[in-house]
Amino acid sequence: IMDWARRKVLAWRLSKTLDEDVCVSALEEVIARYGTPEIFNTDQGSQFTGIAFVDVLEDARVRISTDGKGR
């Protein structure tokens, strides 16, 4: 997870699957460590559009933006 404005990596995980649990873990770390972002941008991969990932963002009242590039 990157803060594009500051060009800084806030958290990262490596996985050989598309399970959303890995992404949720990184997201929860970022929110706990740096606070709640106003908006969160991702691509439209299943790991970012799954219920668990979206629920974390919605519970924190973060606006969700998805990249439509390549559609």
Side-chain angles (χ1 to χ4, degrees):
I1 297 177
M2 289 193 65
D3 178 338
W4 284 105
R6 294 179 185 86
R7 306 273 183 196
K8 180 179 178 182
V9 175
L10 304 179
W12 68 277
R13 302 288 189 277
L14 181 63
S15 175
K16 61 182 181 177
T17 69
L18 292 177
D19 293 340
E20 66 184 312
D21 296 342
V22 175
C23 297
V24 169
S25 170
L27 177 60
E28 290 173 337
E29 176 187 333
V30 167
I31 291 173
R33 185 180 265 181
Y34 298 100
T36 305
E38 183 177 328
I39 189 166
F40 196 93
N41 180 266
T42 69
D43 66 20
Q44 294 179 7
S46 62
Q47 65 274 39
F48 305 118
T49 57
I51 293 170
F53 193 86
V54 172
D55 280 352
V56 172
L57 292 172
E58 288 179 345
D59 289 348
R61 294 195 163 147
V62 176
R63 290 189 342 222
I64 301 169
S65 169
T66 55
D67 190 349
K69 208 174 198 180
R71 283 194 283 174

